[in-house]
Structure formats: C-alpha cells, structure tokens
Amino acid sequence: MWKTNLKVLAIALLVVGFYTTVAHIIPQLQSEVPEALALGSGVTPEALVAAGEKIYNGAGGCTACHGLGTRAPNLITDYKGQGAVGARCGTRKPGMACKAYLYESLTQPQAYIVQGFDPIMPDMRKQLSDDQIWAAVAFLESQGGEVDVTGEDIAKSAPAKGAAPAPTGPAMTATLDPVALYSEKGCIGCHQMDGKGGAVGPSWDHIGSRRSAASIRRKIIDPKSDTTKGFEKFAGMMPATFGQMLTAAQLEALVTFLANKK
Amino acid sequence: MTPMLALLQQAVTDTTGAYGHFPGVGGRGAVWVAAEVHLMFAAFVLGVPMFAVITELIGIVSKDEKYDKLSHEFTRLLVFAYSATALWGAMLLFALTTLYPKFWAHMTKIFSVSMWIYVSLFFVESFTLYLYYYGWERWQFGRGKWFHWGLGVLLNVWGTTVMLIANGWLTYMMSPPTGATAEGLPKGVTMWNAIANATWIPINIHRLIANAVFGGAIVAAYAAYRFLAAKTPEERAHYDWMGYVGNFIAISTFIVLPFAGYWLGREIYQYNQQMGITMMGGFMSWLWIVQAVLIGVLFLCANYYLWLGMARIPGAERFVPYTKWMLLLLIVCWIAWSTPHTMIATRDELVSMGGAHHPFLNVLGVMSAKNTAVNLMILTTFLSFLIYRRANKESVVPWARTGTLIQGAMFVIAAAVVLFYGVYGYFVEAIVRIGFSVYQVGAVLMCILGVSIIDAFIGRGARSRGEIRWGQMPERSQYALFVLAVTFTWLMGLMGFARSGIRQHWHVWEVMRDTSPDAFTPALGYAANMISLCVLIFLSLVAFIFWLGGLAERASHAVAPEPHGVAIPPGIAVARPGAAPVTGD
Amino acid sequence: MTRLRLFLRHPFWQAVLLLVVSYLAFTVGVRYVPPLFRVASAPVPGSVVLQYMFIAIVGILIFVSSDELRWRTFKQPLHATLVDQDKRWLRGGLLVAVPVLLGFATYQQARPKVEAPIQLRSIHPAPPGQITFRGKAMQLSGLENPLRKSGSMADHLREGKRVYYQNCIACHGDRLDGAGHYAHGFSPAPANFSDNGTIAQLTESYVFWRVAKGGPGLPREGTPWNSAMPVWENYLTEDEIWSVVMFLYDQAGWQPRRWEASPEERKNPTGAKQPAAPNAPKAGGAK
C-alpha cells in the first residue's frame, strides 16, 4: 500500500516539477509597470538622476562605449586622476559650465572631442527625447558633482529645437523646389538671386559659370572649405548646418539648380 | 488627458494605507494562493455534482445500480470538499480585506448587493447538498428517486449561479464598463452592467465546461488510486470502470474547451486590443508554448489510456496495428503546435538563422499551423474513442459496411478541410485567415457529430465479441490518469495566471491602478512556482479528502455490509461503455 | 540478414533506432533537406532540438509501452544488462560511462562562457493605448490612416516612396526585405516587410507607433536597447510617416490589419464605419 502511495506521490511531484522546470527554462521576462516619465517643470533632481541612470544603462546605450575598453572616456569611474565625469565636466571646455558642456556633448558630440579619442559619438537626440537627455545630464552630474538641472532646462530646450543643428520638427519640409528652398532655408538672407535677398555672400546669379556642381556641393556642406574672392571679410559667416538641414534629395536639387545657372 | 492625470495623482496619494503586508510570500502571493486553491476547490464542487447528477440519471434510466453507487460515492466526497471550498473562500476574503483594503472597498462599493445574494445562495446550496447526500437512502425508489435527482439538479443550479456572480466580479476587473472610475460607477451604469460586462458570458461558458472536465479528471484520479489500492478483483473491476467513465467525461468535454477559450480570447481582443496583444503576442506569448506542452501531454495521456484499455477488450486486436500511426500523427502535431515562432537561441544561432525566426520552421510558428495541428489532434483522439467503442462489437445492421465507409469519408473530409484551410491560410491576409479557423473547427465538430450519430445506429443491437475484462489493466494506465489530473490542475493554475496577468499593473483595467510594490507582472518562472505551490496544496488536501472518504466508507461497511456494487453485473451495459454517459443508452 | 531482421523487430532496438533517426531529422534533416527543394533553412537552435527530442522520447516510450507484449520485450535487454552474469563487463562499463557522461554534461552547463545571456525579445510587444506625437496626444486603438480618406492615393504613395528611399532603404532594403546595406550589422535584423509575419499582421496605427517612436520607444519586453530603429518623429512629420506606412503596405502587397468593430458598433452599425469583420485573438506575433 505504501509503495503505491509513494509511487503516486512521486508521479505527482515529477509532473509538477517538470512543468515548473519548463517554465523556468524559458528566459524570464517580467512586465514592469510603465514609468510615467513626465518630467515637468516641478521635477526633483533625484527623480531626474534616477531616470537618467536607467537611460545611461538602458535605452541610451551609453555603456556600449563609455566604461568598456578604450573607445570612449570612462564616465562614472575615475579618468586619468581627474575624477568621475561630474567632477571634471566643468573644466573640460574653457568657459563652459558643467551642465552646458554635458548637454552639448550629448547633442553636438563633435563640438569637443576629448584628446586621444575618435569622433564616433552619435547625436543622442536621434535616440532620446529631450526629457531623457536632460535626465542623462543630471545623472552624469551626480557622478562626483552637483546636480543643477531643473525643470526649466527641459522646458527651455524644447523651443530651442528649431535653432539646433539637427533639423527637427516642422522646419523640415519635403519640397524639392530649389526656389522654395532658397527662401525656406534662409539662403535668401545672404545670397542675392534675381534681384532679391541680402548681399552678405556672393550672388547666385550666373553661379554655375563660376563654380562646378561639386564645388557648390562642397561649399554648402562645408562652408569653411574655401572662400570666394572679395568676400574674405565675411569668411566663416556661412552656417555649417545646411548639410544637416537638407535631405540628400533637396541638396542635390539645389546643387543641380545652381550649377545650371550659367 | 484628465483621467490619466487623475490616475497619476491617485497613484501618488493613495499608496499609503492601500496595501497590507504579509510575511514570506508577500501580499500578492498570499492572495494568489488563497484565490487559486479556492478556485480549484470551487471547480471541484461544481464539476463533481455535474458528474454525480448525470451518472445518477443514467442509473435511474438504465436501472443499473452501479451508476447510482458511483454517484453516491462522489457526493460523499463533495461534503468534505464543500467545507474546504468555503474555508479557502473565507481565507481569500480575509486576505483581500487585510492586504488590499482600498481595492476591496472599491469592489464592495460596486458589488455590495450581489455579495449578499452570493452569501445567501451559498447557504441554500449547502442545505441542498446535505439533503441530497443524507436523503440518498430515504428517497431511493419510485417517485422519491426522481425527487432526489431533482435535488441534485437544483444543487447544480445553485452552484452555477454562485459561480456566475463571482465571475461577474472578476470579469469586471478585466473589462469594466465604460465610465467606471476608482470612485465607483457613473450615473446610469448599474451593478448589473458591471456584472454583465464584455467578458462575462465567455468566461461563464469557459469555466462551466472546464469544471466538467476537471470533475471528470478528479473522478478518474480517485478511481485510479482506488484501483491501485484494490484488494479484490471485483473492486479492481469497479474502479477500472469508474476511471474509464471519468476519463471519458474529462476528454469529451475537453475537446470543446479550446473553442470556448478561443471565443473568450476574441472578446478580450475586442474589448481592448492592447490587452489582447499582451496576451497573445506580447509579454504573455511564451506562456502559450508552456500551455502547448501541457495540452500535448493531456492528449497523449488520454490516448495512451484508451490504447492500453483495448487490451482488455476482446476484438480490439484488429485495431491495434493502427494505433502506432495515430501516435505518430499526434506526435507530429504536437511538435508543430509547440514550435515557437520566436525561438530561444544563442547569438551565434541567431546570426545563422538571420533573426529570431527560423527560415524553415517559421512555417510551423504561425497560427495557421497551430490551428491545423490542434484540430488534427482532436480528430485523432476522437478516432481513438471510436475504435475503443467499436472494439468488441459486431454490427448486425445490414448497412454496417456502408455506414463505416461513410464515417471514414467524414474523417477524411474533415481532415482535408482542416489541412486545406491550414495551408491556404498562408496565402491570405490576416483577417481572412482568422475566419478560416471557424471553418476548421466547424468541420471537426460536424465530423464528430455525424460520426457519432451513425455510430449510434450501427451499434444498435450489436453482437458482442466477448465481455470486456474490467480490471485487467496494467498499472501504468492508472498512472496516466494521475498525470492527467495533475496536468489539468496545473493547466488551470496557468490559465488563471494568464487571465489575471494580462491586466498587468491594474487592479481594475484602466480604472484602478495597482500602486503596490507588487504591481509588476512576474516572470513565468515565479508564476510556475506559485502554480506548483497551489497545485500541491490542493492535491494534498484532495488526497486527505479521499482518505477521509475511504474511512467513512469502511465505517458504513462495518455497520451494514452492502452487497451491491462490488460485482459488475455482466451484460450489455458494461459491454458498451463508450455510449454510457453522453447518449444515455 | 535474418539476424538483422530479428534485431530490427526487437522493440528496444526499434526505440533506439527511432531516437537516432528523429535526432538526425531534427538536426541534419531540417538543416539540409529543404535546401534540396530550394527552400531556405538554417540550423535548428539547441533549445528547439531539446524540445523536439523530449516530445520524440515521450512518443517512443508510449509506442513501446502501449502493448503489453512489446513492453515486456522492450524491458528484456534492460533487465538482462542489470542482472545477467555474462554481461557484467557491459554493466561495469555503463557504471563508469553514465556518471562520466553526466559529469561532462554538468561541466558543459556550468563552465564559464563568454556568450551573452540569451534574451527573449518580443517582436511585436503590446502597443500603448495612447502616445504623444510631438506634444500631441494620439489615441492609438481604433486609429486609421488619415491619408486613406483624403487626397489622391497616388500622391500619398509617391510621397511615401520618397520618404522610404530617403530614410529607410539603408536598413530595410530596396526590396523591403530587411536586407539593406547596413542590415548585416544589426542584431536583431531590420524588419522584413515582405514576410507575412510583420506588417501583414499589424494595423497601420501599430506600424505608425513603431516608426514614430523607434527602438527607444519599445516597452521592456521588446528590449529597447537592442533595436537600432531611430525615433522618426524627430525627423519626419506625421503625414510623412502615414504616407510611408501606406507605401510599405502597397509595395509589399499586404493589407493592413483592420480594427474589429466594438460590440456597440456591431449592434447598431453606422454607415460610416466599415462592416464588422470577423476577427480573433491573435494579431501581434502569432506564436
């Protein structure tokens, strides 16, 4: 009798154990409560730092380069005796406070490259929202420094988007009409065409006979590459951001249009 | 925006005092165990009376005493199981009031009247059960017997009504009526609207069928245990037969359960797409692979039991060679069904597959393949039943051969329809493909219905090829019945987790947020541990109840040794077991 | 010859043979047979082989034990190995081999590996009910592509094509098959729109959500940091996203998944809404 009882018990335990094991073999996935990341103006520094830490280790993908190997400086550990990023960020770029420097390195990473590293960091606005970038800044500041990111920074950066180099928001239309681009992208402010526009830069009339298509393209993307004779005092005036403001098709449309203006 | 804001505020302000603390497993764990074990017992006390009433009716109609004895035996177990249900219900109630006071206040505010009705029905149900059980000898003959049977029916009516009310509460948590807030129901929305919400009817149907399945499986496990412990050949014969009947009820009702589940899922989808995707494609999608493993085990165990049982039927030899091909088909279908779409793979394997989907096995990962596999498994199981029933019969009707050919054609047509739509499903858009599953299911159900009707006529007055040697069953067949019962119980726990888990971090979907630290939905491993815990608690209590039943029986035997029931009266009724519970002949 | 036949008739050796055959079918068969018929295939992941082998073993055990005689013959060699006097060398060998094999398997499981842990990624996680698109709240459920109701379809498609070829082609490829120039660099690979398991299973609002919010917008079970999909709401306008979504369906030849009519609509269908279509619980990833 006891033999039967034990056998039945063994069968029951075996079956239950088997199902439990099957459920354990599958990689475990827990469904978290979605966080209401509403970092309004009343947000506390603690909340920002906590959110930033998650971004740093998660959605931001920062740890892929920072903190591993030699691709990028270590941020949350000591770097060449200068302390963690929060301690050294205020002195990196002369005249730039910690907060501004960190925000710049996240949004315009090529603006300042730490010596000894390659310019490989992507513009984080492609992956993160403004709230998230500010949260990441707050987290980095907290690593050895004082957190001074506030709700106002987040609120301020939202309208500042339009002025930022990466064209975001409705400023970017899809038109391929070069004349429309002429006024829309602000070329009209400096270059004259058909009697319209300012006289800061060379006129666009007959530009095709002076420059080749390749030269025009290079000039738009990298304005510092050369300066037209007679405009030396205006050298460096042309914004270097048109390469980002135009889509490839728009750029080509504009270049072809200008090269044909003989 | 405003409701979202209100919810956020609620989340911040309400956390304090909204939740109690429970040592060890935590508040959620405590409620989980109490609710699940209560539910398992509730399924037991709803499923077994269904079983008892049906067998009693068969006993009355066929004048076969052994059915009556079977029914009586189970009602005795019910008396114990009933108090266990009430006990665990009380535990659940206290756990909710102490651990989730705020949520419970919300529920009582909305459902107060139905809670009073619930309690009074429970009271009435208890009295009916006592009358039913203790009046068994008093009303054993003539009109009294019909009155007694009426009591049994009444018992089922009360029990089902109680379940319907409780279903109203829990489905409200999944699909509350529009406009409900944490403060209560809006004007114009009554308690009835909250009970009769979008998923209420599907859950009712699903649970009703599942209870019958569960009742059958538990009965079979009980019989298996008594079979193994039996000392005389008569006892063995009786419990062998009882195990067969239990298994028959469990599997034949189980066959329609997937369709009820399908409907429930559909309603959930329709109520809220997000909840539907969480269930089928999102966070919960892996749960269905585990479910496929469990149901595969169920189908194989049921068939295995039937095939082993054919050894005790004279004349079954002519069907034995076919069983291995049926086994092969079942195995192939199981493989197809349990093939995951998104595979667990290491990085290297992912690279060689070019993603998480296997380029070739991908075909088996989608719903078309799975529906086809399940329908074929159902058809195969039905075929097993059919040859089991046919095994010792020799038809005397002149058109028997033609009839069998027609039956065969029905099987072929049903399988062809299932396969055709399964394959065709790959070439049409999603919304059309979903419609195909209706045709597949329809073909299978039509086939089952048509074949059963023809079979009933073919079997009319059939000659027996020899008596079934009840009791001549290898022991491993009885262990298959245990596996069946444990698997059903575990499956119930798993599906309970699925139903409750898709609400994620809501107490009441999009009405009342869970702001406790336990608001996250746990991973499958943790859930499996909890389910196993509940199953083991339930099974050990059930074992205890069975043991008590044995004690009571011995006591009554000691007072007045009853001659009935031990011996199986030979005859046509025993020789034709397959027809017994459903058609009643 | 007769010995071989006897051998093959014995249930024990039949079981062993079946086991070997099924293992070969799951590993070598699936890998190399479909390519003979010009159907793509790949090695089966270990986890799936394990699962298949478990099912196969259950099937074989049922096969040998579903008949009393077969079961007894099956057990015979096992019994003989355990007790027969003349098999003591075999017994001794097994006594050594089994623990060694188990030990080796344990070592294989426990030894430190450099592999990244397996991550379970949900390809089509549940979408949120509502998203904020550039500060504007959008209700996702029930949302239709607004462009389908206004303007010329040809224009929308042309616009969608332009957007696709300017932004998406590098990863998702010229043939919309997820095999763009950069695709090989990503794991998970970019979505293959020509496969019937991606956009064909989804509503347009879902695809809109995925385009607008990209990888970072995925919920946790979608392991957001794995996906390289950019947050396109920062670069594209609402109309551009809708037009590219429309283009995807048009070009890949799929119909967007339609919304189910809500129960109220079914009871009193209004003229404006499309008729209630039969639908059922398995959009997302049919798994």
Side-chain angles (χ1 to χ4, degrees):
Chain A
M1 192 61 218
W2 274 109
K3 204 175 141 201
T4 315
N5 284 348
L6 284 177
K7 267 191 192 166
V8 171
L9 185 70
I11 291 264
L13 286 177
L14 216 71
V15 173
V16 167
F18 169 66
Y19 296 144
T20 316
T21 317
V22 170
H24 275 277
I25 288 174
I26 292 164
Q28 300 298 297
L29 196 70
Q30 189 167 295
S31 168
E32 302 289 351
V33 180
E35 262 173 77
L37 226 179
L39 302 172
S41 52
V43 71
T44 61
E46 288 77 27
L48 274 171
V49 170
E53 185 171 4
K54 286 208 176 117
I55 290 159
Y56 184 81
N57 293 311
C62 315
T63 48
C65 300
H66 295 281
L68 273 178
T70 54
R71 273 195 273 182
N74 268 344
L75 294 181
I76 48 180
T77 51
D78 181 60
Y79 175 71
K80 290 190 182 170
Q82 300 163 352
V85 66
R88 64 185 193 243
C89 56
T91 55
R92 261 282 190 249
K93 209 173 166 185
M96 212 164 190
C98 177
K99 182 166 74 175
Y101 168 71
L102 286 176
Y103 186 73
E104 186 194 73
S105 23
L106 280 161
T107 53
Q108 287 158 269
Q110 315 310 341
Y112 178 84
I113 310 290
V114 179
Q115 215 180 359
F117 292 101
D118 291 325
I120 55 167
M121 169 130 170
D123 178 350
M124 294 313 289
R125 277 172 299 182
K126 289 180 187 166
Q127 290 191 38
L128 302 175
S129 71
D130 264 315
D131 298 13
Q132 287 176 312
I133 288 179
W134 279 113
V137 170
F139 167 68
L140 292 174
E141 280 188 332
S142 75
Q143 301 300 308
E146 195 94 343
V147 179
D148 58 352
V149 179
T150 61
E152 281 117 66
D153 289 316
I154 302 172
K156 248 190 291 172
S157 69
K161 258 186 183 173
T168 57
M172 185 162 160
T173 61
T175 178
L176 292 178
D177 174 16
V179 182
L181 286 171
Y182 172 65
S183 50
E184 185 190 300
K185 302 291 176 193
C187 317
I188 192 170
C190 303
H191 298 278
Q192 276 193 335
M193 184 168 78
D194 304 329
K196 275 192 294 182
V200 180
S203 161
W204 276 6
D205 295 327
H206 311 296
I207 189 159
S209 53
R210 283 178 272 131
R211 278 179 182 273
S212 68
S215 155
I216 295 170
R217 193 181 298 115
R218 191 178 64 233
K219 180 71 189 166
I220 294 175
I221 296 170
D222 182 14
K224 289 195 203 82
S225 56
D226 69 319
T227 308
T228 311
K229 275 209 178 84
F231 289 89
E232 284 85 359
K233 60 176 173 170
F234 296 115
M237 284 285 284
M238 178 155 165
T241 55
F242 289 111
Q244 278 94 53
M245 282 167 65
L246 299 165
T247 64
Q250 286 174 328
L251 178 68
E252 281 317 297
L254 194 59
V255 168
T256 319
F257 169 73
L258 292 176
N260 287 329
K261 276 187 87 73
K262 303 245 160 124
Chain B
M1 264 336 263
T2 336
M4 283 308 283
L5 212 68
L7 284 167
L8 273 176
Q9 278 170 349
Q10 181 212 330
V12 178
T13 53
D14 290 6
T15 314
T16 42
Y19 300 102
H21 173 73
F22 193 84
V25 283
R28 172 168 67 178
V31 170
W32 190 332
V33 172
E36 190 59 57
V37 177
H38 171 62
L39 185 107
M40 284 166 179
F41 270 110
F44 184 100
V45 298
L46 277 178
V48 175
M50 283 184 213
F51 183 89
V53 163
I54 294 172
T55 41
E56 193 187 4
L57 180 68
I58 296 170
I60 298 173
V61 173
S62 68
K63 306 218 164 37
D64 190 342
E65 219 174 279
K66 77 177 190 297
Y67 284 100
D68 196 64
K69 191 201 163 206
L70 182 66
S71 186
H72 193 188
E73 197 168 348
F74 269 93
T75 315
R76 181 170 54 232
L77 299 181
L78 263 184
V79 179
F80 301 106
Y82 201 77
S83 47
T85 315
L87 247 165
W88 281 92
M91 277 193 229
L92 173 61
L93 179 66
F94 287 128
L96 280 172
T97 42
T98 52
L99 298 172
Y100 288 84
K102 189 140 185 130
F103 160 70
W104 193 240
H106 172 81
M107 294 297 277
T108 45
K109 194 166 163 187
I110 293 178
F111 291 109
S112 52
V113 181
S114 68
M115 286 172 175
W116 304 331
I117 301 174
Y118 181 83
V119 173
S120 6
L121 275 175
F122 214 81
F123 196 74
V124 177
E125 192 190 349
S126 313
F127 268 89
T128 316
L129 174 66
Y130 293 143
L131 273 180
Y132 185 62
Y133 176 62
Y134 290 104
W136 207 285
E137 269 86 30
R138 175 96 171 57
W139 297 297
Q140 207 166 10
F141 305 103
R143 216 178 287 162
K145 190 66 192 164
W146 282 106
F147 168 73
H148 185 256
W149 185 72
L151 277 178
V153 173
L154 211 57
L155 181 63
N156 274 292
V157 171
W158 299 139
T160 309
T161 320
V162 162
M163 182 192 77
L164 297 190
I165 296 175
N167 283 355
W169 305 338
L170 73 94
T171 48
Y172 165 79
M173 290 166 68
M174 295 165 74
S175 52
T178 39
T181 62
E183 273 70 54
L185 297 173
K187 263 206 160 59
V189 179
T190 59
M191 184 187 80
W192 171 247
N193 296 120
I195 289 181
N197 56 65
T199 52
W200 187 53
I201 296 286
I203 282 257
N204 289 340
I205 304 284
H206 194 58
R207 283 197 160 173
L208 212 60
I209 300 172
N211 284 340
V213 177
F214 191 63
I218 293 289
V219 167
Y222 172 76
Y225 181 75
R226 298 299 300 264
F227 177 91
L228 292 175
K231 293 197 174 62
T232 60
E234 288 81 15
E235 239 183 299
R236 279 168 76 91
H238 175 70
Y239 288 112
D240 183 11
W241 170 77
M242 186 199 266
Y244 164 74
V245 174
N247 181 50
F248 178 85
I249 292 194
I251 297 302
S252 54
T253 39
F254 176 63
I255 282 176
V256 286
L257 199 55
F259 310 137
Y262 203 75
W263 182 32
L264 172 60
R266 207 188 122 99
E267 289 297 324
I268 291 174
Y269 235 82
Q270 219 151 44
Y271 178 76
N272 187 298
Q273 190 99 358
Q274 192 189 345
M275 205 167 8
I277 296 182
T278 301
M279 177 172 69
M280 296 309 294
F283 165 67
M284 290 267 168
S285 57
W286 274 93
L287 185 142
W288 305 103
I289 299 295
V290 180
Q291 192 218 23
V293 171
L294 266 89
I295 294 187
V297 170
L298 286 181
F299 272 119
L300 277 177
C301 276
N303 281 288
Y304 183 56
Y305 178 80
L306 288 177
W307 297 334
L308 280 175
M310 278 162 59
R312 66 185 172 208
I313 307 177
E317 312 80 49
R318 59 207 156 112
F319 295 120
V320 168
Y322 303 112
T323 56
K324 59 175 173 288
W325 302 114
M326 288 158 67
L327 173 65
L328 184 69
L329 185 64
L330 282 175
I331 290 290
V332 169
C333 287
W334 192 13
I335 282 180
W337 191 20
S338 65
T339 302
H341 194 212
T342 312
M343 292 181 174
I344 304 173
T346 61
R347 234 192 120 70
D348 293 342
E349 288 168 341
L350 282 178
V351 170
S352 68
M353 287 195 295
H357 296 173
H358 190 277
F360 178 67
L361 296 176
N362 195 11
V363 175
L364 300 178
V366 293
M367 223 51 208
S368 276
K370 300 196 185 303
N371 278 342
T372 309
V374 173
N375 281 309
L376 288 180
M377 283 173 102
I378 291 176
L379 271 182
T380 314
T381 309
F382 177 61
L383 187 63
S384 272
F385 264 116
L386 203 69
I387 60 176
Y388 183 96
R389 282 190 48 159
R390 277 281 181 91
N392 77 332
K393 273 188 257 178
E394 205 174 351
S395 184
V396 288
V397 288
W399 48 275
R401 209 183 147 67
T402 330
T404 311
L405 281 177
I406 295 175
Q407 284 178 320
M410 280 178 164
F411 268 105
V412 170
I413 290 171
V417 169
V418 168
L419 275 175
F420 170 75
Y421 281 111
V423 175
Y424 189 41
Y426 288 98
F427 301 98
V428 293
E429 63 162 317
I431 201 148
V432 180
R433 179 169 62 242
I434 287 154
F436 285 176
S437 58
V438 178
Y439 305 140
Q440 291 182 318
V441 166
V444 170
L445 284 183
M446 288 301 283
C447 167
I448 291 178
L449 200 70
V451 170
S452 303
I453 291 171
I454 296 179
D455 214 54
F457 284 106
I458 287 188
R460 193 165 271 186
R463 261 200 306 276
S464 168
R465 284 171 186 265
E467 253 175 65
I468 299 181
R469 299 181 290 267
W470 288 111
Q472 283 192 11
M473 250 328 224
E475 284 196 356
R476 52 183 188 280
S477 66
Q478 305 301 311
Y479 292 118
L481 290 182
F482 282 120
V483 175
L484 218 55
V486 176
T487 307
F488 270 125
T489 318
W490 213 88
L491 187 61
M492 216 155 88
L494 184 73
M495 292 297 99
F497 168 63
R499 188 196 54 72
S500 191
I502 53 171
R503 277 182 290 122
Q504 301 209 298
H505 53 280
W506 296 95
H507 286 318
V508 180
W509 180 258
E510 288 186 344
V511 168
M512 194 178 196
R513 220 184 157 92
D514 186 346
T515 53
S516 69
D518 284 336
F520 66 93
T521 318
L524 259 180
Y526 176 83
N529 293 347
M530 293 302 281
I531 295 165
S532 296
L533 179 66
C534 297
V535 169
L536 290 178
I537 291 177
F538 173 73
L539 289 180
S540 36
L541 284 174
V542 164
F544 179 65
I545 289 172
F546 283 177
W547 181 70
L548 278 183
L551 276 189
E553 190 185 49
R554 233 165 285 157
S556 64
H557 271 264
V559 175
E562 291 169 64
H564 76 261
V566 243
I568 297 299
I572 203 84
V574 194
R576 301 171 54 200
V582 165
T583 50
D585 63 356
Chain C
M1 213 45 221
T2 41
R3 270 201 66 169
L4 183 70
R5 204 171 295 152
L6 268 179
F7 192 64
L8 284 179
R9 278 223 190 111
H10 197 286
F12 182 77
W13 297 110
Q14 279 178 339
V16 172
L17 198 70
L18 278 172
L19 204 63
V20 173
V21 166
S22 43
Y23 180 75
L24 289 178
F26 299 145
T27 50
V28 183
V30 175
R31 171 84 184 83
Y32 294 106
V33 174
L36 299 181
F37 302 97
R38 294 166 186 278
V39 178
S41 192
V44 184
S47 66
V48 180
V49 172
L50 187 73
Q51 180 189 336
Y52 285 179
M53 282 314 289
F54 165 75
I55 296 178
I57 289 172
V58 169
I60 291 168
L61 281 180
I62 287 186
F63 168 67
V64 292
S65 69
S66 63
D67 185 276
E68 198 56 45
L69 183 68
R70 200 184 298 142
W71 181 230
R72 240 179 277 140
T73 343
F74 172 79
K75 287 192 294 187
Q76 231 164 26
L78 294 174
H79 188 256
T81 315
L82 287 177
V83 296
D84 277 9
Q85 192 58 181
D86 61 329
K87 295 208 173 56
R88 65 177 180 279
W89 289 111
L90 179 63
R91 188 155 57 235
L94 282 175
L95 214 60
V96 175
V98 170
V100 165
L101 273 176
L102 279 178
F104 181 69
T106 314
Y107 168 73
Q108 281 292 331
Q109 279 289 316
R111 87 192 148 88
K113 290 183 201 109
V114 287
E115 262 166 32
I118 291 170
Q119 253 172 3
L120 196 63
R121 189 169 178 273
S122 185
I123 306 272
H124 297 139
Q130 170 180 313
I131 58 168
T132 317
F133 184 86
R134 294 190 177 184
K136 180 181 113 183
M138 277 173 94
Q139 191 67 35
L140 276 188
S141 51
L143 183 64
E144 303 277 355
N145 190 339
L147 297 187
R148 289 196 190 268
K149 291 204 189 73
S150 67
S152 119
M153 289 305 118
D155 282 350
H156 295 323
L157 288 175
R158 207 172 305 123
E159 169 74 355
K161 185 174 179 179
R162 183 190 66 73
V163 174
Y164 185 84
Y165 279 90
Q166 264 172 15
N167 302 292
C168 319
I169 186 175
C171 302
H172 291 285
D174 198 15
R175 298 194 304 176
L176 277 66
D177 55 358
H181 286 94
Y182 299 157
H184 65 276
F186 297 124
S187 175
N192 171 1
F193 303 127
S194 60
D195 182 87
N196 73 354
T198 60
I199 55 171
Q201 303 271 357
L202 303 168
T203 58
E204 281 188 300
S205 79
Y206 191 102
V207 183
F208 181 88
W209 168 59
R210 290 311 326 128
V211 175
K213 295 294 176 183
L218 282 167
R220 196 182 142 86
E221 64 262 29
T223 46
W225 48 90
N226 276 357
S227 167
M229 180 84 169
V231 180
W232 288 104
E233 67 171 336
N234 290 346
Y235 306 95
L236 300 173
T237 64
E238 194 179 331
D239 279 358
E240 280 176 327
I241 298 183
W242 281 122
S243 63
V244 79
V245 170
M246 192 192 270
F247 169 76
L248 289 184
Y249 280 101
D250 183 69
Q251 194 68 13
W254 302 116
Q255 289 297 314
R257 190 192 185 86
R258 276 171 276 162
W259 290 99
E260 286 206 32
S262 67
E264 293 82 52
E265 281 168 52
R266 260 184 299 160
K267 271 174 210 134
N268 36 355
T270 49
K273 286 274 174 188
Q274 53 186 346
N279 206 338
K282 49 188 189 176
K287 287 178 187 103

